[in-house]
Amino acid sequence: MPETTHATSAVLPALPALSAQAERLIELGVHELAGLPAVELRTFAAAAEAPAGGESALLAVHPDQAPASALAPLLRRDGKAGFVVTDMPDVDLFAPLDTVVLPDAPLYLLTGLDRGDQMANWSPNEALPALTAEARTPLLLTEGIHWVMQQPAVLERNHCFMTIGSRLRKANGALDARTPALWISNGTGRDGRERRNAPKVGWCWAGNRHTWLGFASATGRRVQNL
């Protein structure tokens, strides 16, 4: 495996309470994108709320209900809206890997989130088996977007992340070599200067390494507290 650039991932602020996360999604109109009444998000969050001192979790909407192309523009950084790179028009065709099992529900929770800073300068092909060996599941692109929606500080220069749980399959069944990621635009090239510092959904090759990209993962997904 490649040499790691950090011993562990940075300690990030705690996620908001699930009730606050539900209100954030409602404020952004995610419930309307997903075709869900606001009361359903509030009820789910209230039922799944962790007790004081309990494990925090991220509230996510199933990607079938709210695709990445609709969620990305809701991201904000320095007052600028998020966007998907122009050479990723098929972003919504990136689906969960066969090893990633999603709850059969419109709303679910992710636990034990980690940005994967310790894997910076690894390639996606190297990181995936390592995460699997640690019993961690890679985040989907939509899950990564939800994380940044609720905790914008998770996306910072030189410490952004890939979401390799989402991949595109070619007609022959092989995986497309692109792997999705979330980072901050420099406002160069086709991004446009007006998008400098905006949150960006892009992609990297599965065999390439980047010193500024970790690999976001979680310990699991569930629909309610056990």
Side-chain angles (χ1 to χ4, degrees), residues 92-199:
D92 292 337
L93 299 181
F94 282 70
L97 288 170
D98 293 342
T99 54
V100 174
V101 179
L102 296 184
D104 185 18
L107 302 170
Y108 63 95
L109 304 175
L110 289 115
T111 56
L113 292 178
D114 183 82
R115 193 169 61 185
D117 293 354
Q118 70 278 10
M119 287 183 174
N121 208 32
W122 291 40
S123 72
N125 287 341
E126 294 162 334
L128 183 59
L131 291 173
T132 301
E134 296 173 2
R136 298 192 62 84
T137 178
L139 257 58
L140 305 183
L141 175 56
T142 52
E143 294 169 346
I145 295 173
H146 274 87
W147 193 8
V148 178
M149 277 182 184
Q150 300 289 356
Q151 196 176 54
V154 76
L155 204 62
E156 57 179 319
R157 287 206 175 273
N158 300 316
H159 298 289
C160 298
F161 61 88
M162 303 199 70
T163 53
I164 59 173
S166 295
R167 294 292 295 272
L168 176 65
R169 285 203 177 274
K170 300 179 181 179
N172 64 4
L175 288 175
D176 187 281
R178 294 172 296 165
T179 53
L182 282 154
W183 72 88
I184 300 166
S185 174
N186 286 326
T188 57
R190 286 179 287 182
D191 288 3
R193 285 181 295 177
E194 70 280 2
R195 281 176 165 165
R196 178 172 172 78
N197 294 325

Side-chain angles (χ1 to χ4, degrees), residues 18-38:
L18 289 173
S19 57
Q21 291 185 44
E23 293 305 321
R24 176 63 175 157
L25 295 180
I26 293 166
E27 174 190 351
L28 292 172
V30 174
H31 66 301
E32 294 175 340
L33 289 173
L36 300 172

Side-chain angles (χ1 to χ4, degrees), residues 39-50:
V39 66
E40 185 169 345
L41 272 71
R42 292 182 173 121
T43 300
F44 179 91
E49 196 82 77

Side-chain angles (χ1 to χ4, degrees), residues 7 17 20 29 32 35-36 46 76 103 115 124 130 175 189 199 203 205 207 211 217 223:
E32 294 175 340
L36 300 172
R76 291 292 184 276
R115 193 169 61 185
L175 288 175
W203 58 269
W205 299 118
T211 58
S217 65
V223 294

